[in-house]
Amino acid sequence: MVFPMTTTEGTSQDQLPFDVFARSCPSRETLGHITGRWGSLTLGALAEDTLRFNELRRRVEGVSEKMLSQTLHALERDGLVHREAQPTNPPRVDYRLTPLGREVTERMMALIHLVEGRMAQVLEARERYDAERA
Amino acid sequence: MVFPMTTTEGTSQDQLPFDVFARSCPSRETLGHITGRWGSLTLGALAEDTLRFNELRRRVEGVSEKMLSQTLHALERDGLVHREAQPTNPPRVDYRLTPLGREVTERMMALIHLVEGRMAQVLEARERYDAERA
DNA sequence: CAGTATCCGAACGGATACTG
DNA sequence: CAGTATCCGTTCGGATACTG
């Protein structure tokens, strides 16, 4: 299957042109940016607020400058995050979700909240699993 | 903050005991298994069907035996996937989602479908981004 | 403040060979 | 078929130092 680099308007095929299960579909890369170790947390941190670089660093505990920078670049390039630099001194840069980013983050937060809410169950499952092969 | 290793029933605190934004909250690890490179696709593959090991390998294009095995173990330990081995020859092992796994996968698929449906927009954003610094 | 550049160890992950 | 074991290159990612 070939993945179009432009929109598919004008075509009338029923099957979706993008499929994350396909090895080289670009949607897999974008899903990677969103679900990656720092991607999901960065989007989540921006879910409620516009934040500055170091505010993000504090909110996403454990992320390094390098990784946060990389993550933001990837999300900005994919059109999920908007970067706005004020030409002041000291510099001030605000990051916020784009409309597309908000859609994506809504679903990601639904997943995150479910996981947080079911962690007790997960920890029980782990104990059972570990006990069975002890 | 200390994360409880048991359920929190009986407490009446308003704040959630688990928080993925906290550096050492175990929910971050589980979210990692779910959103990891192969975790999301493995769950997605099991969304509709019970599948055998090699069926999964074919469905999740590009995954190696090693990674699929690791991924399934992690998901099984977290109580998201159930493994059922028939003691036949040749061996037959079926993997299917647990009820918890189905809840998680529902949300993950909502995210995946959104991303697939918005990829044209993402690719446009990338072209704009790349053009601006060419 | 908001990053970039470099170094370097750790973890990821693919290929291959092997086992029950 | 359903895995495990090993090798080994690639990438991830943290610490540190530096720039505008």
Side-chain angles (χ1 to χ4, degrees), chain B residues 52 65 69 73 83 91 95:
Chain B
R52 302 173 63 177
E65 291 185 355
S69 179
H73 280 312
R83 179 182 184 278
Y95 291 93

Side-chain angles (χ1 to χ4, degrees), chain A residues 17-134:
Chain A
F18 296 104
D19 176 11
V20 291
F21 293 100
R23 191 196 301 261
S24 54
C25 180
S27 66
R28 200 181 263 196
E29 191 189 347
T30 294
L31 184 66
H33 295 154
I34 293 166
T35 62
R37 180 165 181 192
W38 302 117
S40 56
L41 297 177
T42 300
L43 291 173
L46 293 172
E48 305 190 349
D49 276 321
T50 290
L51 292 175
R52 302 173 62 176
F53 189 82
N54 281 312
E55 289 175 335
L56 270 169
R57 271 200 75 190
R58 282 186 291 274
R59 179 100 178 86
V60 182
E61 279 186 25
V63 70
S64 65
E65 291 185 356
K66 177 186 163 185
M67 283 302 106
L68 181 57
S69 178
Q70 274 188 21
T71 301
L72 285 168
H73 280 312
L75 295 176
E76 187 193 356
R77 190 166 103 97
D78 283 351
L80 303 173
V81 164
H82 178 77
R83 179 182 184 278
E84 188 168 3
Q86 256 88 17
T88 59
N89 193 316
R92 178 193 179 93
V93 181
D94 290 312
Y95 291 94
R96 58 184 170 77
L97 297 180
T98 63
L100 180 55
R102 268 194 295 280
E103 287 189 278
V104 166
T105 302
E106 258 177 49
R107 315 256 175 139
M108 176 54 79
M109 290 312 287
L111 178 61
I112 284 178
H113 288 140
L114 177 68
V115 171
E116 289 176 341
R118 296 287 189 281
M119 273 309 293
Q121 238 177 290
V122 168
L123 296 179
E124 282 170 29
R126 282 191 193 170
E127 284 179 29
R128 251 180 286 114
Y129 182 94
D130 292 345
E132 274 171 22
R133 43 221 91 200

